[in-house]
Amino acid sequence: MTGALDGIKVVDLSRILAGPWASQMLADMGAQVIKVERPEKGDDTRFWGPPFIKPASNEQPPQAAYYHCANRNKQSIAIDITTSAGQQVIKDLVAKADVLIENYKVGGLTKYGLNYAQLKEINPKLVYCSITGFGQTGPSAHKAGYDAMIQGEGGLMSLTGEPEGEPMKVGVALVDVMTGLYSANAVLAALMARQHTNAGQHIDIALLDVQVATLANQGMNYLASGQSPNRLGNGHPNIVPYQTFATADGSIILAIGNDSQFAKFCAVAKCAELANDVLFHTNEKRVINRVKLIPKLAYILAQNTTQNWVVLLEQVKVPCGPVNTLEQVFEHPQIKHRNMVQQVADNNGKFISTIASPINLSDTPLQYNNAAPDLGQHSKQVLEQVLDYSDAQVNNLFTQGVIS
């Protein structure tokens, strides 16, 4: 079956999460993604466990579950890019490629002859996506950036956590994931632009920029008021009630977005007087008077179980839901119906569970062809089938240790 990006070739020089997340999106859409890794070690995330999908062997490093979250549908070639021969292999790949994704430090690929200006000479139509912590320019451009530090420096941690507690990071590497999403979008835009410019371009994506851009309503709240928002735990700065509450047996999240929904909640909860109270009858009033309202709602919600509340409130279309563990998430009937867990085969024919993409295309559906590759699994195949190297060239590269 033809994918949306069938015929697009991507050279992936990225590792960890942001870059691989972007290139996996392109691979799911049908692009041929050739992941370039270091011989012997490969991508750092292969070691980021336990848990491991595959343990280390004499031939292979371990494969952590972390590595598998962002590297399916790719081919792996292990190249020593510190050698001139290794650099030439990458340049030959670039000559046939549409996209290159890298997340080296600013200027880090220049000494290898692999920066944008250098590769543009080889392939003027190349879309070259650089992902860094702080961008290609500016006083912090030289600094390395990792998700947790960017969540702090970019303000997200100041918004996350209990009001009297310490700043908290999000439970997944959200900045990396969002950076991957922005990067994939930028690559697709550049490929579309190439159709009328007949040229590639350089994409400069910074984790810090992404974090600031995705401050969303909280960022605009600051720009509008000049006041840094306070942490509200699971509360919402602009909507009340929109947070978690303890129930008789667990937790529930209310996501009441308008006054009509609040009135319906109060009717079900037998507290109609709250909906009619001038302190609470509009969202603006509820936001202003949240410290008076929230304890009243907390007392009411604690009198019944989560499931009973969900049943009662869903009947009147009040948005709410349980706070699920991941075990409950993957047993969720809607998640199962949407096929959000797929099975992909590794090189030994063993099937591995993977979390599906949320993208559903009617005519060119995403494919889940193979699990994340072993290190260098496709080295010989790429040299022979993509680059048309002769047997002598291939054997020479393996003998020299340039390719493994």
Side-chain angles (χ1 to χ4, degrees), residues 227-340:
Q227 297 178 350
S228 293
N230 296 318
R231 292 190 297 278
L232 295 171
N234 289 320
H236 194 287
N238 303 109
I239 311 172
V240 173
Y242 197 104
Q243 66 181 77
T244 54
F245 292 91
T247 64
D249 65 346
S251 297
I252 188 172
I253 184 161
L254 288 185
I256 292 177
N258 58 53
D259 299 335
S260 174
Q261 291 172 355
F262 183 65
K264 291 176 182 178
F265 166 80
C266 290
V268 169
K270 297 181 171 57
C271 58
E273 70 278 3
L274 294 179
N276 297 323
D277 193 316
V278 294
L279 294 177
F280 312 130
H281 73 286
T282 67
N283 180 69
E284 180 182 359
K285 293 292 187 180
R286 292 192 295 275
V287 171
I288 293 170
N289 297 298
R290 74 167 74 227
V291 294
K292 296 179 180 178
L293 177 62
I294 296 304
K296 297 177 186 295
L297 300 183
Y299 176 80
I300 293 167
L301 287 160
Q303 307 309 306
N304 210 334
T305 65
T306 298
Q307 184 59 30
N308 284 345
W309 279 121
V310 170
V311 170
L312 290 170
L313 294 174
E314 284 186 346
Q315 289 175 352
V316 295
K317 295 182 171 53
V318 172
C320 65
V323 179
N324 286 332
T325 64
L326 293 197
E327 179 181 4
Q328 292 168 320
V329 168
F330 289 114
E331 289 299 318
H332 197 297
Q334 184 68 11
I335 296 301
K336 289 186 173 182
H337 174 82
R338 300 288 290 179
N339 298 313
M340 283 302 296

Side-chain angles (χ1 to χ4, degrees), residues 189-206:
L191 289 173
M192 290 292 291
R194 193 176 68 172
Q195 294 184 5
H196 57 81
T197 66
N198 204 35
Q201 59 185 295
H202 189 202
I203 300 169
D204 174 7
I205 301 281

Side-chain angles (χ1 to χ4, degrees), residues 135-253:
Q136 298 294 305
T137 61
S140 297
H142 65 286
K143 294 171 56 177
Y146 287 85
D147 179 276
M149 60 180 284
I150 299 296
Q151 287 195 37
E153 192 160 352
L156 183 59
M157 287 178 64
S158 76
L159 307 172
T160 309
E162 293 299 324
E164 303 304 323
E166 64 181 50
M168 299 290 290
K169 71 177 183 66
V170 181
V172 296
L174 190 61
V175 181
D176 276 341
V177 171
M178 293 189 298
T179 300
L181 296 174
Y182 273 101
S183 298
N185 273 306
V187 166
L188 295 176
L191 289 173
M192 290 292 291
R194 193 176 68 172
Q195 294 184 5
H196 57 81
T197 66
N198 204 35
Q201 59 185 295
H202 189 202
I203 300 169
D204 174 7
I205 301 281
L207 271 68
L208 184 62
D209 293 352
V210 169
Q211 176 56 86
V212 173
T214 53
L215 290 173
N217 61 300
Q218 290 281 47
M220 285 303 297
N221 288 346
Y222 169 75
L223 292 179
S225 68
Q227 297 178 350
S228 293
N230 296 318
R231 292 190 297 278
L232 295 171
N234 289 320
H236 194 287
N238 303 109
I239 311 172
V240 173
Y242 197 104
Q243 66 181 77
T244 54
F245 292 91
T247 64
D249 65 346
S251 297
I252 188 172
I253 184 161

Side-chain angles (χ1 to χ4, degrees), residues 66-138:
Y66 196 118
Y67 170 74
H68 276 262
C69 85
N71 288 290
R72 65 170 172 255
N73 286 336
K74 302 178 186 180
Q75 298 173 298
S76 171
I77 181 171
I79 303 177
D80 183 355
I81 71 168
T82 66
T83 65
S84 58
Q87 293 155 20
Q88 187 58 52
V89 172
I90 294 175
K91 291 174 182 177
D92 290 344
L93 286 170
V94 165
K96 295 175 176 288
D98 300 280
V99 179
L100 183 144
I101 300 176
E102 59 92 8
N103 63 347
Y104 282 73
K105 292 180 182 179
V106 173
L109 288 174
T110 300
K111 62 185 176 182
Y112 304 127
L114 301 175
N115 69 24
Y116 173 63
Q118 292 162 330
L119 294 184
K120 182 181 178 181
E121 295 297 318
I122 297 171
N123 183 355
K125 293 186 177 181
L126 181 69
V127 173
Y128 189 113
C129 181
S130 295
I131 300 172
T132 56
F134 297 88
Q136 298 294 305
T137 61

